[in-house]
Amino acid sequence: MADALSLAVADLHAFYGDSHVLHGVSLDIPAGECVTIIGRNGAGKTTTLRSIMGLIERRTGSIKVAGQDVIKAPPERIARLGVGYVPEERGIYATLDVTENLLLPRKINDRGMPLDDIYALFPNLKERRRSQGTRLSGGEQQMLAIARVLRTGASLFLLDEPTEGLAPVIVQQIGKAIELMKAQGHTIVLVEQNFHFATRIADRHYVMERGRIIDMIPRADVASQADKIQQYLGI
Amino acid sequence: MSSQVILGQLVVGLINGSFYALLSLGFAIIVGLLGIINVAQGTFYMLGAFGSWMLLNYLGIGYWPALILSPLGAAIVGMVLERTLISRVYHLDHIYGLLLTYGLMMFIMGTFIYFFATAGRPYPVPADLRGGFDLGFMFLPKYRAWVVLMALVFCFGTWFAIEKTALGRTLRAATENPNLTRAFGVNVPALLTFGFGVGVALAGFAGVMAAPIYSVSPLMGGDLVIVIFAVVVVGGMGSILGSIVTALSLGLLEGLTKVVYPPGSNMVIFVIMLIVLLVKPAGLFGRER
């Protein structure tokens, strides 16, 4: 079982240039829990993950990873605490082949998944290990983006829309990987548009609107609050 | 026209091309990784040459130690400048990096002119590399053969380090997407400083290599940077292989032009640059965006 990391975000504000994007976001995620952040496009979900990762320069408030405040820390320090990031745009490097993409993130400890296990989980990646990263299909790129952070020994994962635009059979494979992360006791923050997918995996759902968290729905209440959720998502 | 003259000029071209290759290689690493058009690349070449001259004349340290110490010294100067000045303009338009390094070039060159005047100072060819080979069509001094050999070794070594090693993998990733690379635990700012140091060290190394051939002067390298710039544009901005291949080919082409039409030899590189820019703006080895 991994040493999962807790994540506590309090009163997080973030800015892109002059525009104020996050207005006091708070999240409280104990170690080993899997939560989603749901909400419409432009609600601030991606910005929240980017802020936690240290990729938004202007941010205020507090972000604690396993109790350590990282609001002033650069991204590389946050990553080295054990945070694995799968960005929305996948972030596969064109100048690196598949293996090089996999080996790029620095190992944090020896508890990560061995390369052979990763290839067993995603056989496509093994087949294409000499291909240029961006020559992969969208689904394979997504697998690579997830595989890349599994190897490092990270135990808090920030996953930004890992199923976006993918065929159902690939969504299933991605789902399997995330369930495996969960089974290993890792903490997972999942931004997801596919609510059906999200409800299968997550313990709780944070609902975001206009840069604020407006509701929190535990797994048990999802069925009874279905109408409300549909309204939040604008379906 | 005798084949003797042609072959002779080709060898001269290959030697010039070797210097272009070492300098444009460093230039390409810096522009690719830092996005800085380092106009001062020729200045670090001059610093390398002057470093070896000073080591010899002030401390009695000869060519072989200077080959390591002088590029190292240039790299330290470069890394201090990167940390204190150049890193402050990364977030600005490329023109600011160009202007800043231009200013640095003028400042360093001016300081050296103040203390050493502009006359060339001789630097002896190391004893082990005196003499030469009779190739039949020309006499090739051993030292010049050494320059070509070392340039090839360093070019291949740098290419190998960037394409085939873990450090090179990280450098390529940081070149392509610096912010995301930080999110994977890589200290990119430190890597940029290191990359700048490597680029500068290559220029300094070329300077030490050049000292016995061209003599040492504050003005050396000043006009070389324009050729380097053309080489990197033709090869494709930031392409390592592109700059190596282009530098050697353009050196050869320049030599050949000296035989066919001597007045054109100073111009031919820039004519090629114009044509490449019109036909393939990203350069011969560059990636279209």
Side-chain angles (χ1 to χ4, degrees), chain A residues 32-36 182 198-199 201-205 217-220:
Chain A
E33 205 186 26
C34 175
V35 305
T36 61
K182 200 183 157 185
T199 44
I201 290 177
D203 303 314
R204 285 189 296 141
H205 307 279
I217 302 164
R219 182 184 207 137

Side-chain angles (χ1 to χ4, degrees), chain B residues 123-197:
Chain B
Y123 186 93
V125 173
D128 310 333
L129 294 172
R130 282 178 200 150
F133 310 103
D134 190 357
L135 300 179
F137 58 90
M138 73 175 290
F139 178 77
L140 175 64
K142 257 189 202 167
Y143 187 78
R144 300 194 178 211
W146 162 253
V147 166
V148 174
L149 179 73
M150 285 318 277
L152 292 177
V153 167
F154 268 73
C155 287
F156 176 77
T158 308
W159 173 84
F160 183 86
I162 289 178
E163 292 300 325
K164 304 289 172 198
T165 68
L167 177 65
R169 173 173 77 215
T170 313
L171 275 171
R172 273 178 288 142
T175 301
E176 188 178 331
N177 193 342
N179 278 329
L180 183 64
T181 305
R182 296 183 76 172
F184 291 135
V186 176
N187 187 343
V188 172
L191 198 65
L192 296 187
T193 307
F194 171 77
F196 193 74

Side-chain angles (χ1 to χ4, degrees), chain B residues 45-134:
Chain B
Y45 164 83
M46 183 270 282
L47 280 182
F50 249 102
S52 58
W53 184 88
M54 288 176 181
L55 283 170
L56 183 68
N57 288 281
Y58 299 159
L59 302 170
I61 294 172
Y63 178 83
W64 299 107
L67 209 47
I68 296 165
L69 293 176
S70 197
L72 205 63
I76 290 170
V77 171
M79 290 195 286
V80 168
L81 290 174
E82 191 275 343
R83 273 295 81 199
T84 52
L85 294 172
I86 297 170
S87 59
R88 294 170 195 271
V89 301
Y90 288 156
H91 64 287
L92 300 173
D93 191 86
H94 289 318
I95 191 74
Y96 289 91
L98 189 148
L99 288 172
L100 176 59
T101 53
Y102 182 74
L104 287 172
M105 174 182 91
M106 296 312 276
F107 174 75
I108 297 173
M109 204 199 260
T111 308
F112 272 76
I113 292 174
Y114 179 80
F115 286 107
F116 296 97
T118 54
R121 288 149 194 270
Y123 186 93
V125 173
D128 310 333
L129 294 172
R130 282 178 200 150
F133 310 103
D134 190 357

Side-chain angles (χ1 to χ4, degrees), chain A residues 53 55 74-77 79-80 83 85 87 89-97 100-101 103-106 132 134 148-149, chain B residues 91 162-166 168-190 287:
Chain A
M53 204 59 235
L55 291 170
E76 60 269 21
R77 248 200 60 213
R80 287 177 198 182
V83 184
Y85 177 52
E89 72 287 357
R90 293 169 190 145
I92 302 304
Y93 294 86
T95 47
L96 274 59
D97 69 21
E100 287 178 324
N101 265 287
L103 297 179
L104 175 71
R106 271 177 62 121
Q132 185 192 334
T134 43
R148 193 161 54 177
V149 290
Chain B
H91 64 287
I162 289 178
E163 292 300 325
K164 304 289 172 198
T165 68
R169 173 173 77 215
T170 313
L171 275 171
R172 273 178 288 142
T175 301
E176 188 178 331
N177 193 342
N179 278 329
L180 183 64
T181 305
R182 296 183 76 172
F184 291 135
V186 176
N187 187 343
V188 172
R287 210 186 292 259

Side-chain angles (χ1 to χ4, degrees), chain A residues 40-105:
Chain A
R40 296 178 204 196
N41 276 333
K45 306 179 302 271
T46 293
T47 307
T48 304
L49 293 195
R50 287 177 57 84
S51 301
I52 297 169
M53 204 59 235
L55 291 170
I56 305 280
E57 225 155 277
R58 272 189 71 199
R59 57 195 194 278
T60 63
S62 123
I63 300 170
K64 285 185 175 160
V65 174
Q68 254 195 75
D69 201 330
V70 296
I71 191 81
K72 293 226 161 21
E76 60 269 21
R77 248 200 60 213
I78 297 170
R80 287 177 198 182
L81 287 175
V83 184
Y85 177 52
V86 176
E88 185 182 20
E89 72 287 357
R90 293 169 190 145
I92 302 304
Y93 294 86
T95 47
L96 274 59
D97 69 21
V98 169
T99 312
E100 287 178 324
N101 265 287
L102 262 177
L103 297 179
L104 175 71

